Amino acid sequence: MESQVGESGSVDVDGTRLEELTPEPLLTRDYETRPSLVYERLRQRHGAVAPVDLLGVPAWLVLGYREALEVLQDDDAWPKGLENWRARTAGEVPADWPLGPSLEVNHVLIQGGPGYPSLRTAWDAALKPFQDPGHPQAKRLKAAVTAYADDLITLVGQGGGTGVADLSAQFSRPLPLMVASHLLGFPGSQGDDALMDMWRVLDAGPDAEPALERLLATLAELAAVKLKEPGDDFPSYLLAAHPGLSLDELARELFMLLGMTSDHVGILMSNTVVEVISGDGGARASLSAGMIRETMNRVVMRKPPLVNFVPRFAAEDTPLGNYTIRAGDPVWVSSAAAHADPLFADHVAPSSTISTRAHLSWGAGRRQCPARELASTVAAVGVGRLFERFSHLDLALPADQLPWRSSPFMRGLRSLPVRYELASPPERTAPPQTAPDPAPETADVVLPDRSARQRSSLWRYLTGLIRSAR
Ligand code: HEM
């Protein structure tokens, strides 16, 4: 033990090396079913920072709120970039480590080093038109989200004016995928097959690997098209802001956008729906009071979609919590655990009408999420349309029995079974072509690719879900 002077006086710091601590596996069945218990056990045993085994590779997990902020806010002391990982440089990370494929893609979320700042600046610039409320591009995006949401709800309604649906598979997952396709500027509904592949990749089933290959090839093709003929879309804006990006690099960034948009926004929407249906009356009232964003803020605070962040690395030997983190050790910040830290949790009164913004669900410091406004808008519009178009929505399972899926990075609902009643007469007999025209401001966004979409693999899949829900 070494003695170090911390904020609260002198503390004993354990100088034992990470490799020698024989850390316990993090990704157990308990982590899948009751992650909060796992975090609390680790906190009791180790304090604010715990050694854990991530599928055979040792790492530090930051559980303390103050320590998480310390890491996130000091990018020089805790840089990202796998080149900083001592064990990886020494060849100690197995080539077939299951987390390798998601971390070895060198895009903006993972990257450190000299290339990062200009890439991040380009991301900020490329997202700006979509996030600046006064910009025509932001208005088009909002109109598109509304139209996509309405199309999906109409499709659910083809199962009957009342019925049972899985709002995860039939709404929260496809909607952000369609939005991603819009951001990426896929011509027509060509992107839909790529979206299905993204879905397969995220589900990590047996067809995930070929799906990933197809997806990367499609994104590389899209990148080449945008390089030749720039349009009003994210890839073209990113290229304009960072002309030095190679096709490969651009394709990687597009993959990152697709992954972040499709999984995390979907999780946020499903969690918000559950909160509105089963939370106290305040959540439902918040919809009519136009305070849906406040509800979402509570939701991400209690259930952050990104539960553990990709690793940072100690730039030099540094005391953190009760341990010394050696230079090059990997450090994973857990927003889920930090939010349960009494230092944070005890200051968040559940009864307070306004929730705190001091949570870590969007990250902190200069690497925090650049797409927060975009993600919140998509989720708010989507949830808003649901509660407008359905006069009644109820969970088909008790809230505490809803099935969850977890990865080392995210946690979200596997399915969201609901009983619904449509507010207006269902359009089940109307073939897609004769469905009522969307509102004029949305028509130009949706109509050009509508009939093509009806033939796409995504739509065929969604139509199949209606039959099975009957
Ligand atoms: C509900 C949805 C989302 C949540 C909860 C979320 C959360 C986060 C968090 C916590 C980080 C910081 C991770 C870290 O520090 O290691 C982050 C980074 C990032 N997010 Fe998001 N995000 C969401 C949606 C999106 C979307 C839709 C996009 C793209 C359109 C996006 C793009 C990014 C990028 C590029 C970074 C890396 C920033 C950097 O390292 O400089 N996110 N996000």
Side-chain angles (χ1 to χ4, degrees):
M1 290 261 176
E2 307 158 21
S3 222
Q4 305 272 352
V5 179
E7 254 178 35
S8 50
S10 177
V11 290
D12 284 331
V13 173
D14 189 335
T16 317
R17 290 182 170 274
L18 176 59
E19 309 77 63
E20 292 156 9
L21 284 164
T22 50
E24 57 188 281
L26 177 69
L27 308 172
T28 56
R29 177 143 178 74
D30 273 356
Y31 174 84
E32 181 78 27
T33 53
R34 289 173 303 172
S36 52
L37 281 187
V38 174
Y39 296 136
E40 283 332 295
R41 235 175 12 226
L42 286 169
R43 200 190 311 276
Q44 298 227 327
R45 202 165 294 164
H46 299 280
V49 178
V52 292
D53 173 298
L54 288 172
L55 302 173
V57 168
W60 297 104
L61 192 71
V62 183
L63 309 153
Y65 177 74
R66 190 194 296 130
E67 291 73 12
L69 267 185
E70 188 180 329
V71 170
L72 296 177
Q73 288 179 337
D74 193 346
D75 211 30
D76 295 330
W78 305 97
K80 284 188 180 178
L82 299 193
E83 67 282 3
N84 297 309
W85 190 354
R86 201 182 61 252
R88 178 174 170 272
T89 309
E92 288 161 15
V93 176
D96 59 351
W97 186 45
L99 302 188
S102 38
L103 295 180
E104 293 284 347
V105 189
N106 195 23
H107 52 54
V108 63
L109 179 68
I110 310 286
Q111 222 178 85
Y116 166 75
S118 56
L119 185 55
R120 170 65 196 237
T121 306
W123 262 86
D124 288 334
L127 286 173
K128 192 161 188 283
F130 298 101
Q131 304 204 94
D132 173 354
H135 197 287
Q137 191 59 277
K139 292 183 184 157
R140 269 201 296 277
L141 175 70
K142 219 166 161 181
V145 181
T146 308
Y148 296 151
D150 280 342
D151 274 0
L152 288 167
I153 294 167
T154 300
L155 196 62
V156 170
Q158 287 179 11
T162 59
V164 176
D166 174 0
L167 281 192
S168 172
Q170 294 178 258
F171 189 80
S172 305
R173 293 195 87 190
L175 178 62
L177 280 173
M178 292 158 83
V179 172
S181 176
H182 174 93
L183 295 173
L184 291 174
F186 269 114
S189 69
Q190 255 179 11
D192 277 13
D193 291 338
L195 303 187
M196 284 301 293
D197 276 336
M198 187 72 229
W199 210 322
R200 292 182 186 105
V201 171
L202 292 172
D203 284 344
D207 46 1
E209 218 174 297
L212 178 61
E213 264 171 44
R214 277 194 307 269
L215 181 59
L216 290 176
T218 308
L219 291 174
E221 270 169 42
L222 181 71
V225 170
K226 299 300 171 187
L227 192 63
K228 234 162 111 191
E229 285 171 43
D232 267 335
D233 45 49
F234 177 84
S236 308
Y237 297 160
L238 193 69
L239 271 173
H242 200 315
L245 277 186
S246 70
L247 272 189
D248 261 10
E249 287 165 339
L250 178 59
R252 263 184 256 150
E253 299 307 317
L254 304 186
F255 177 63
M256 149 79 195
L257 177 139
L258 195 49
M260 270 302 217
T261 309
S262 40
D263 225 12
H264 298 97
V265 179
I267 291 173
L268 171 56
M269 268 195 294
S270 284
N271 289 349
T272 307
V273 170
V274 175
E275 173 75 15
V276 173
I277 295 179
S278 66
D280 53 27
R284 212 177 262 266
S286 77
L287 287 177
S288 40
M291 281 177 65
I292 189 161
R293 287 194 177 228
E294 176 54 29
T295 301
M296 274 174 10
N297 195 55
R298 284 169 190 282
V299 167
V300 291
M301 200 167 69
R302 273 192 236 137
K303 299 189 175 90
L306 210 65
V307 286
N308 300 314
F309 300 172
V310 297
R312 272 111 171 136
F313 304 89
E316 52 189 59
D317 292 2
T318 312
L320 191 70
N322 298 325
Y323 293 96
T324 296
I325 315 300
R326 302 287 170 188
D329 275 358
V331 170
W332 295 55
V333 170
S334 171
S335 56
H339 288 178
D341 180 349
L343 185 70
F344 178 80
D346 290 355
H347 287 88
V348 182
S351 56
S352 146
T353 43
I354 301 294
S355 56
T356 177
R357 259 69 185 163
H359 61 73
L360 305 177
S361 301
W362 303 99
R366 75 170 166 154
R367 301 208 61 149
Q368 66 184 289
C369 184
R372 177 177 180 163
E373 177 56 31
L374 186 153
S376 305
T377 300
V378 173
V381 171
V383 173
R385 287 313 292 154
L386 275 180
F387 284 95
E388 213 156 293
R389 297 268 320 264
F390 289 112
S391 52
H392 185 81
L393 272 181
D394 228 340
L395 296 182
L397 276 179
D400 60 1
Q401 284 175 30
L402 290 171
W404 290 83
R405 70 191 164 98
S406 293
S407 83
F409 307 104
M410 51 61 70
R411 182 169 164 82
L413 285 173
R414 191 179 293 284
S415 66
L416 176 48
V418 294
R419 277 183 293 272
Y420 69 81
E421 187 181 317
L422 273 177
S424 48
E427 294 163 27
R428 70 172 129 176
T429 50
Q433 293 82 344
T434 57
D437 284 345
E441 72 273 19
T442 64
D444 59 334
V445 179
V446 182
L447 281 181
D449 65 357
R450 196 170 225 198
S451 59
R453 166 148 284 143
Q454 316 292 351
R455 295 190 300 272
S456 77
S457 52
L458 177 68
W459 221 252
R460 281 200 306 273
Y461 172 79
L462 292 172
T463 308
L465 292 181
I466 305 171
R467 276 194 293 274
S468 58
R470 272 177 193 163

